[in-house]
Amino acid sequence: MTAAAFPYPFAAKPGKACAPGEFPFAVIGMDHGHIFSQAAGLIEAGGDLVAAWDPDPTKLADFCTRFPQARAARSEAEVLEDPRVRAVTAAAIPDERCALGIRVMEHGKDYLTDKAPMVSLEQVAQARAAVARTRRMYQVIYGERLQNEASIFAEQIIAQGAIGRVLHVVGLGPHRLSAAMRPLWFFDRRRSGGIICDLGSHQVDQFLAYAGAKTATVVASRIANYHHPEHPGLEDFGDAMLTADNGATDYFRVDWFTPDGLGTWGDTRTTILGTDGYIEMRKSIDIARDPRGDQVYLVDRRGEHHVQVGDRVGAPFFGRFIRDCIDRTETAMTQEHALTVAEVCIRTQMQAVRVA
Amino acid sequence: MTAAAFPYPFAAKPGKACAPGEFPFAVIGMDHGHIFSQAAGLIEAGGDLVAAWDPDPTKLADFCTRFPQARAARSEAEVLEDPRVRAVTAAAIPDERCALGIRVMEHGKDYLTDKAPMVSLEQVAQARAAVARTRRMYQVIYGERLQNEASIFAEQIIAQGAIGRVLHVVGLGPHRLSAAMRPLWFFDRRRSGGIICDLGSHQVDQFLAYAGAKTATVVASRIANYHHPEHPGLEDFGDAMLTADNGATDYFRVDWFTPDGLGTWGDTRTTILGTDGYIEMRKSIDIARDPRGDQVYLVDRRGEHHVQVGDRVGAPFFGRFIRDCIDRTETAMTQEHALTVAEVCIRTQMQAVRVA
């Protein structure tokens, strides 16, 4: 089916959200490669990347080569104390993300972190208190929804009633392990937060967003290290059932078992069941069919529909985040959603039964 | 990918399992349309359909028109007391399946019922006792595995090590409600057994079979009537997490929300994750791609593979069942598997939390 034949039109791709010079931002913390797309997303939406810092000089130099507009700072304090900088985006080690965020906010700047934004309920409480105290934002780039065009388009057509009331979401989030490429902290559950806190954060974010729910309770969850005894701190499998405050139900599975033969890092899928139809997203690949992701399948009363939406939808999150920083609004994502997702993830992780 | 390029060959389709006249069988109970494929499967495998009975004369006449080799009996007793009949296949109302099966077995005949084979733990105990007492078989045609060629082929390639050790199975079993076509008992939970007992029985069967497990415990399960207040006895949604005795994990969702635009009765999917790859079955349709079911997708260390296996694999269950009846073996399915699936289903149904 061509895009023209798909029963829902595309919204215009987002343009610049602000004038040049209106939104200077900085980067602190490059422990996960997600930082590159975070910086690129803000730049594309109109932000000016003015400074960057990481204690690892190799990472910092590499980053400034890829983003030559960023000046390499000499310390974290130099960035935090730079009065031009309105916001900091970061991909620190997960257990350090909260403390960094609070330092950023206490310097009067908004914070946009890679997921998972925190790894313990204590950190959730600290972040909530810092938000209240500083009146700055602690925002999170849940990339599998906010940076995937299939996910963004799905959210748009659900809002137009494409599948009626959302009843159930099932998310499969397999990822390739590539153990040799991972830093040591990746294999330390206290630092990574565990597989549900890490990979599951995308899933909880999507569930609450698609279902239009405020929060969810954990019905059951499991973790396992099925096949990696050489990494005892790794959980290579996790799953959970959640029930939202509005009655919608969810299941997700996350794992590190993507086989080498897959053409990308993981075959992430989301299927959303509504009263009047369902949507399946093949977000990163359409196996044995199309190496491109961003595939949206919709089955409704009228028929079966398919469209590949790559480069048609954009990522409105970044421009909205910039406007929220400037206008003190909550259009990109509410502060409460960002923190509730973290809290639900951590509870799901904590309640998980270990499978042998 | 053509079948020739798929990395696993097809086994020969099964031929006749017995000589003409060696396996006379009968039909009793035509409350579900599955009875037609049950009779056809046994005939194709070499059985001789000699008699049929249902208390509804319209159903009985219709059946005998479609299967003219079957003589319409004048009573159930006439069939049960017919010394030629070796086995009875049946699709009675679910809550009557167990009592019928016991009558069949007490007349020295083996029993092959539509799923779900029973609706209460008392019936499971009665069936177990009848098996021990009569030494006859109480077997069950879990059709979404045993009559779907994608499922059969998947089982064959898993046995050849295609994905390593099976870790997790996720099954989605949506079905079209077609409420106007359903008999009254369908909307009475005591008679149908509930959605998990009914549609979920396929899912439990598949999980135990693919995982090579003997039994499973219920981690959590849910039921709902989300959208059919006019049928208060209907559960239109059910799901569950199970953990098998060998550590494999499972999730399934079943529902009655198939939209009218789908080209078939339901988009049933099964995804089996192993240590070395995964299999996705698009069992009844490949939405917006191919109206045929029986689609097997395999991703392993070597690549992404796809094959449509319709009419290439056959349904070995029926011939094996016939041999088991004649030879007193358990090659089609162990007696314990058939009854354990029922028991796990009923426990899953009983433990289900109702979602508003």
Side-chain angles (χ1 to χ4, degrees):
Chain A
M1 170 168 287
T2 63
F6 197 82
Y8 294 88
F10 294 95
K13 281 180 70 174
K16 299 289 183 200
C18 61
E22 200 180 359
F23 188 74
F25 75 97
V27 161
I28 298 177
M30 303 165 182
D31 291 288
H32 197 293
H34 287 156
I35 194 64
F36 297 111
S37 70
Q38 295 168 227
L42 289 172
I43 292 166
E44 190 179 342
D48 293 297
L49 175 58
V50 296
W53 166 249
D54 191 277
D56 180 333
T58 308
K59 285 203 180 93
L60 181 58
D62 177 47
F63 184 87
C64 291
T65 302
R66 291 173 69 163
F67 292 96
Q69 66 269 61
R71 190 173 48 76
R74 281 160 299 181
S75 68
E76 180 186 294
E78 185 183 301
V79 178
L80 294 180
E81 289 161 13
D82 184 337
R84 295 172 307 162
V85 172
R86 296 192 71 128
V88 170
T89 192
I93 299 173
D95 68 334
E96 297 178 349
R97 288 175 183 174
C98 182
L100 171 61
I102 293 172
R103 291 197 298 278
V104 167
M105 295 160 79
E106 289 187 332
H107 282 82
K109 304 175 196 315
D110 294 305
Y111 182 55
L112 177 61
T113 178
D114 185 22
K115 56 49 51 184
M118 46 204 78
V119 301
S120 70
L121 293 179
E122 292 70 24
Q123 290 183 347
V124 175
Q126 289 164 10
R128 282 193 199 284
V131 166
R133 184 170 70 246
T134 65
R135 308 183 77 84
R136 296 296 100 183
M137 293 194 296
Y138 190 123
Q139 279 293 14
V140 187
I141 181 80
Y142 295 110
E144 289 185 23
R145 177 172 63 96
L146 301 169
Q147 294 178 286
N148 181 280
E149 293 183 281
S151 300
I152 295 160
F153 187 59
E155 207 168 343
Q156 292 170 354
I157 69 176
I158 289 169
Q160 294 171 64
I163 60 170
R165 175 188 165 197
V166 171
L167 303 175
H168 185 262
V169 178
V170 54
L172 301 182
H175 286 62
R176 183 168 288 137
L177 180 56
S178 303
M181 311 281 286
R182 300 284 177 182
L184 278 177
W185 61 259
F186 178 86
F187 300 101
D188 181 342
R189 191 202 142 144
R190 289 163 308 171
R191 306 215 71 186
S192 73
I195 193 169
I196 290 175
C197 185
D198 175 12
L199 300 182
S201 62
H202 295 297
Q203 304 291 336
V204 175
D205 166 65
Q206 289 179 82
F207 172 47
L208 296 184
Y210 293 133
K214 286 195 167 47
T215 188
T217 55
V218 186
V219 177
S221 55
R222 296 180 285 209
I223 50 171
N225 181 334
Y226 270 128
H227 200 56
H228 298 89
E230 70 279 21
H231 297 298
L234 177 73
E235 296 157 355
D236 58 23
F237 171 91
D239 70 350
M241 277 168 62
L242 307 178
T243 300
D245 56 347
N246 65 0
T249 43
D250 181 70
Y251 172 75
F252 68 82
R253 185 198 84 205
V254 287
D255 68 77
W256 293 106
F257 283 103
T258 292
D260 287 344
L262 187 77
T264 188
W265 51 268
D267 180 7
T268 49
R269 307 275 190 105
T270 309
T271 301
I272 309 171
L273 178 69
T275 50
D276 301 331
Y278 63 97
I279 292 169
E280 178 189 1
M281 289 174 257
R282 302 179 191 164
K283 300 175 69 164
S284 39
I285 194 166
D286 200 342
I287 49 167
R289 293 285 197 183
D290 188 338
R292 298 174 301 170
D294 301 312
Q295 311 274 351
V296 177
Y297 290 81
L298 164 69
V299 183
D300 61 14
R301 289 173 175 171
R302 291 174 286 185
E304 304 165 15
H305 319 284
H306 167 230
V307 67
Q308 200 274 342
V309 301
D311 209 28
R312 293 172 164 277
V313 177
F317 174 83
F318 291 102
R320 291 179 189 157
F321 172 78
I322 289 173
R323 289 311 322 167
D324 287 346
C325 291
I326 296 170
D327 303 335
R328 312 318 295 169
T329 49
E330 290 195 312
T331 62
M333 182 160 56
T334 66
Q335 180 63 78
E336 188 53 37
H337 174 85
L339 298 178
T340 297
V341 168
E343 183 174 341
V344 171
C345 278
I346 292 163
R347 290 191 190 283
T348 310
Q349 177 82 47
M350 289 171 66
Q351 294 182 33
V353 173
R354 183 170 284 270
V355 176
Chain B
M1 172 168 284
T2 64
F6 197 82
Y8 294 89
F10 294 95
K13 281 179 70 174
K16 300 289 184 199
C18 62
E22 199 180 359
F23 187 75
F25 74 98
V27 161
I28 298 177
M30 304 165 182
D31 291 287
H32 197 292
H34 287 157
I35 194 64
F36 297 111
S37 70
Q38 294 167 230
L42 288 171
I43 291 166
E44 190 179 343
D48 293 298
L49 175 58
V50 296
W53 166 249
D54 190 277
D56 179 335
T58 308
K59 285 204 181 91
L60 181 58
D62 177 47
F63 184 89
C64 291
T65 303
R66 290 173 69 163
F67 292 97
Q69 66 269 61
R71 190 174 47 75
R74 282 160 299 181
S75 68
E76 179 185 294
E78 186 183 300
V79 178
L80 294 180
E81 289 161 13
D82 184 338
R84 297 173 306 162
V85 172
R86 295 193 71 129
V88 170
T89 193
I93 298 173
D95 68 333
E96 297 178 349
R97 288 175 184 174
C98 181
L100 171 59
I102 293 171
R103 292 197 298 279
V104 168
M105 294 160 78
E106 289 187 333
H107 283 81
K109 305 176 196 315
D110 295 303
Y111 183 55
L112 177 62
T113 179
D114 185 22
K115 58 46 53 184
M118 45 203 76
V119 301
S120 70
L121 292 179
E122 293 70 23
Q123 291 183 347
V124 176
Q126 289 163 10
R128 283 193 198 283
V131 166
R133 185 170 68 246
T134 65
R135 307 183 76 84
R136 296 295 101 183
M137 293 193 295
Y138 191 123
Q139 278 294 13
V140 187
I141 181 79
Y142 295 110
E144 289 185 24
R145 178 171 63 97
L146 301 169
Q147 294 177 286
N148 180 280
E149 293 183 281
S151 300
I152 296 160
F153 187 59
E155 208 169 342
Q156 292 170 353
I157 68 175
I158 289 170
Q160 293 170 66
I163 58 169
R165 175 188 166 199
V166 171
L167 303 175
H168 185 261
V169 178
V170 55
L172 300 183
H175 286 64
R176 183 169 287 137
L177 180 57
S178 303
M181 311 280 285
R182 300 283 177 181
L184 278 177
W185 59 260
F186 178 86
F187 300 101
D188 182 341
R189 191 201 141 147
R190 291 163 307 172
R191 306 216 70 187
S192 72
I195 193 169
I196 290 175
C197 185
D198 175 11
L199 300 183
S201 62
H202 295 295
Q203 303 291 337
V204 175
D205 166 65
Q206 290 178 81
F207 172 46
L208 296 184
Y210 294 132
K214 287 196 165 48
T215 189
T217 54
V218 186
V219 177
S221 55
R222 296 181 286 209
I223 51 170
N225 181 334
Y226 270 127
H227 199 58
H228 298 89
E230 71 278 21
H231 297 297
L234 177 71
E235 295 158 354
D236 58 22
F237 171 91
D239 70 350
M241 276 167 62
L242 307 177
T243 300
D245 56 347
N246 65 0
T249 43
D250 181 70
Y251 173 76
F252 68 82
R253 185 199 84 204
V254 288
D255 68 79
W256 293 106
F257 284 103
T258 292
D260 287 345
L262 187 77
T264 188
W265 50 269
D267 180 7
T268 49
R269 306 274 191 105
T270 309
T271 301
I272 309 171
L273 178 70
T275 50
D276 302 331
Y278 63 98
I279 292 168
E280 179 188 1
M281 290 174 256
R282 302 179 191 164
K283 300 174 69 162
S284 40
I285 194 166
D286 200 341
I287 49 168
R289 293 283 197 184
D290 188 338
R292 299 174 301 170
D294 301 313
Q295 310 275 351
V296 177
Y297 290 80
L298 165 68
V299 183
D300 62 12
R301 290 173 174 171
R302 290 174 288 185
E304 304 165 15
H305 319 284
H306 167 229
V307 66
Q308 200 275 342
V309 302
D311 210 29
R312 292 173 165 276
V313 177
F317 174 83
F318 291 102
R320 292 179 188 157
F321 173 78
I322 289 173
R323 288 310 325 168
D324 288 345
C325 291
I326 296 170
D327 304 333
R328 311 319 294 169
T329 49
E330 292 195 311
T331 62
M333 181 159 57
T334 66
Q335 181 64 76
E336 189 52 37
H337 173 86
L339 298 179
T340 298
V341 168
E343 183 175 343
V344 172
C345 278
I346 292 163
R347 291 191 190 282
T348 309
Q349 178 82 45
M350 291 171 67
Q351 294 182 32
V353 173
R354 183 170 284 270
V355 176

